Amino acid sequence: MDIKKSLLVLFIIITITFPFFFSPKKIEYKESNKSLPYIQIYNGVFKVYNKIIEKKGTFSQTNYFNKNYFITNNLDMFLYDKNSSLKAKKVLYKNQYYLTNVIYKTNKYKYKAKNGIYNENTKTFIGYNFQFFNDKIDGKGNKMIYKNDILTADNIKYTIKGIK
Amino acid sequence: MKKIIVFLLIVFSYSANMQILAKHFTYDKQKNVAIFKGDVNVTKESDNILSNILFVYTNKKNKLQKLIAIGNVKFRVTDKNSTYKGQTDKLTYNANKEIYKFEGHAHIIKVQDNQEIFGNKIIINKKTGNAIVDSDKNDTAPIKFILKVKE
């Protein structure tokens, strides 16, 4: 192979690989729509912020089936108006959040549930196989509903700790 | 540090947990009241209260303030030296003063000597062990004591 051919091959290789040298390391996708707040997907981390709710999460897989339907892992939400937070291992969002291994935290109690549903509009949290607790109270049961600062539950085992 | 641990152990050794079982539960965060309905069963050490409805009032620091049991109330409570069992329409327990108040068709049996008290308002002070039997001004129902004397 003569020098001209070698240079041509080298030129082709450099031309093909050129974009990789200069493309940004972080690939960023942006998506927004009217019903959901601004959504940003960024190297396995998504963030949503609209001054009412801040959502973030690292995830191994996130699929947008359409604009109002997504699955993600390790959701971490902060609800500014209620000063409460919601964390869940696996999440399916379709109008409301369907959650597994969920921790919902308010200024009064910390709620843990094996499965749960959170509705953003009505600010209602439903927990199944739940436990709620603070330093003095511990409650366990099958199903609980928390809405408008009122908690209801069925078949509860409620413990008040440290009474003289 | 050791002193703190010993102190904490002593404090916790003198406190107990109160367990409540019920079919339905409601907690109102604004009013700081928990309402239990349906086969309510309260247990604290040897004390036991059964009722249809139970209200549990706590303060902002989640400390128990008051218990009110209503409807078909059956109980077994202990004070310093005595154990009382019986039934009433309404039982109120003031956690700060450690006072039990039994209202409406109260019938209390002192387990140790089988003394029986009937009245519409009976108050037992858990700290002192004193029992006060009272009746309302408009109440005409008599107060009845049954003392069993050994022959």
Side-chain angles (χ1 to χ4, degrees), chain B residues 94-127:
Chain B
N94 187 319
N96 294 326
K97 295 175 182 173
E98 293 187 50
I99 287 173
Y100 282 102
K101 192 159 79 177
F102 307 89
E103 291 169 284
H105 305 98
H107 173 205
I108 300 176
I109 302 163
K110 196 175 172 186
V111 173
Q112 279 75 11
D113 51 14
N114 262 344
Q115 285 183 33
E116 288 183 64
I117 308 167
F118 296 83
N120 262 340
K121 195 174 177 185
I122 301 168
I123 297 166
I124 293 173
N125 190 320
K126 215 179 162 184
K127 272 184 191 171

Side-chain angles (χ1 to χ4, degrees), chain A residues 57-70:
Chain A
T58 54
F59 52 87
S60 56
Q61 52 176 328
T62 296
N63 302 315
Y64 280 76
F65 295 99
N66 61 46
K67 287 180 179 178
N68 291 317
Y69 183 12
F70 67 81

Side-chain angles (χ1 to χ4, degrees), chain A residues 119-133:
Chain A
N119 191 308
E120 241 173 298
N121 300 321
T122 59
K123 292 183 177 61
T124 306
F125 175 70
I126 301 169
Y128 299 92
N129 289 328
F130 71 88
Q131 182 187 7
F132 64 88
F133 55 92

Side-chain angles (χ1 to χ4, degrees), chain B residues 103-104 119-122 133-141 143:
Chain B
E103 291 169 284
N120 262 340
K121 195 174 177 185
I122 301 168
V133 185
D134 200 2
S135 62
D136 295 332
K137 285 177 184 176
N138 301 326
D139 191 9
T140 53
I143 299 160

Side-chain angles (χ1 to χ4, degrees), chain A residues 138-155:
Chain A
D138 183 80
K140 287 175 188 172
N142 297 327
K143 187 187 173 186
M144 58 152 282
I145 299 168
Y146 182 73
K147 187 182 179 184
N148 296 333
D149 289 340
I150 292 176
L151 168 68
T152 55
D154 294 330
N155 297 320

Side-chain angles (χ1 to χ4, degrees), chain A residues 107-108 149 151 155 158 163, chain B residues 16 20 23 27 29-30 62:
Chain A
N107 56 3
K108 183 78 183 177
D149 289 340
L151 168 68
N155 297 320
Y158 186 90
I163 298 172
Chain B
I20 304 166
K23 280 186 177 172
Y27 175 74
K29 192 180 160 190
Q30 302 295 339
N62 304 312

